[in-house]
């Protein structure tokens, strides 16, 4: 079955799965060589958000090539475009910083030294991907406003019922 992004509910599923403090894998590349690392993240208002440091290799890689892949280490994966959103105390980041403080309470201030000029937010926005919930898979493309919805029949994504 095909649908569009809004009617399919795929964005609601992503929000539900990743709106809280979540460890995700971020894949970037340099000279066509991929690199993966785990980051603490959350999904809010159509994007994944990461607090990090401008000196990190993956931040430099995003600055040179904004195309990023996000995965939860399972079968959910998202092709994204990343941007460096600036320092947490930048006026333009006030509302998202409030979200960070709620999502990462109580440890946000403990582990993120906002006195450092190099601290930054990274905004990673999916443009296509795959996510599943309740034995239903959603292959989506936000750019084309299309979603292919299908039952999942293979064993990796579903809880198999015993046959005995």
């Amino acid at each position: 079955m095909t649908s569009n992004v809004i009617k399919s509910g795929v964005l609601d599923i992503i929000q539900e799965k990743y709106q809280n403090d979540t460890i995700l894998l971020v894949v970037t590349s340099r000279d066509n060589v991929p690199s993966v690392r785990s980051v603490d993240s959350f999904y809010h208002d159509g994007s994944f958000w990461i607090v990090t440091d401008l000196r990190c290799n993956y931040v430099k890689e995003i600055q040179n090539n904004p195309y990023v892949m996000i995965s939860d280490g399972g079968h959910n994966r998202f092709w994204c475009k990343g941007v460096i959103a600036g320092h947490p105390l930048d006026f333009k980041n006030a509302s998202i910083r409030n979200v960070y403080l709620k999502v990462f309470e109580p440890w946000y201030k403990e582990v993120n030294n906002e006195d450092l000029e190099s601290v930054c937010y990274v905004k990673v926005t999916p443009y296509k991907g795959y996510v599943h919930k309740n034995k239903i898979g959603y292959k989506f493309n936000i750019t084309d406003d299309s979603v292919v919805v299908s039952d999942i029949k293979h064993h990796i994504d579903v809880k198999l019922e015993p046959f005995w």
Side-chain angles (χ1 to χ4, degrees):
M1 174 177 83
T2 59
S3 185
N4 69 25
V5 172
I6 299 299
K7 287 181 185 176
S8 71
V10 70
L11 298 179
D12 296 329
I13 293 168
I14 297 169
Q15 180 72 26
E16 177 187 323
K17 283 183 174 280
Y18 304 109
Q19 68 186 336
N20 298 312
D21 183 357
T22 308
I23 302 296
L24 295 172
L25 300 174
V26 175
V27 182
T28 57
S29 69
R30 180 177 178 191
D31 300 325
N32 291 322
V33 177
S35 180
V36 65
R37 78 280 295 147
S38 58
V39 297
D40 211 352
S41 180
F42 66 93
Y43 183 86
H44 175 75
D45 200 24
S47 298
F48 293 96
W49 288 87
I50 304 161
V51 61
T52 189
D53 193 288
L54 289 169
R55 299 170 290 186
C56 290
N57 286 336
Y58 75 95
V59 172
K60 294 173 188 175
E61 290 164 359
I62 291 170
Q63 289 171 324
N64 289 319
N65 178 0
Y67 295 98
V68 175
M69 179 170 256
I70 297 274
S71 173
D72 61 8
H75 298 280
N76 299 315
R77 56 203 176 273
F78 310 97
W79 287 263
C80 307
K81 194 163 186 184
V83 296
I84 311 310
H87 194 278
L89 298 178
D90 286 352
F91 177 76
K92 67 180 181 178
N93 287 327
S95 64
I96 194 64
R97 183 174 180 272
N98 287 332
V99 177
Y100 269 100
L101 292 171
K102 289 176 188 166
V103 171
F104 293 151
E105 183 189 13
W107 60 264
Y108 175 88
K109 290 182 179 179
E110 192 175 310
V111 300
N112 296 296
N113 183 354
E114 293 179 340
D115 291 335
L116 295 174
E117 290 181 22
S118 57
V119 174
C120 67
Y121 289 157
V122 177
K123 180 181 180 183
V124 183
T125 306
Y127 57 89
K128 70 178 183 176
Y130 176 84
V131 66
H132 62 85
K133 179 181 178 182
N134 298 331
K135 300 182 184 180
I136 306 290
Y138 300 83
K139 182 179 177 184
F140 65 92
N141 187 320
I142 293 173
T143 307
D144 296 342
D145 192 25
S146 64
V147 179
V148 176
V149 181
S150 59
D151 292 335
I152 300 171
K153 300 195 184 328
H154 51 307
H155 73 282
I156 295 172
D157 284 331
V158 297
K159 178 181 176 187
L160 293 177
E161 300 299 325
F163 59 89
W164 58 89

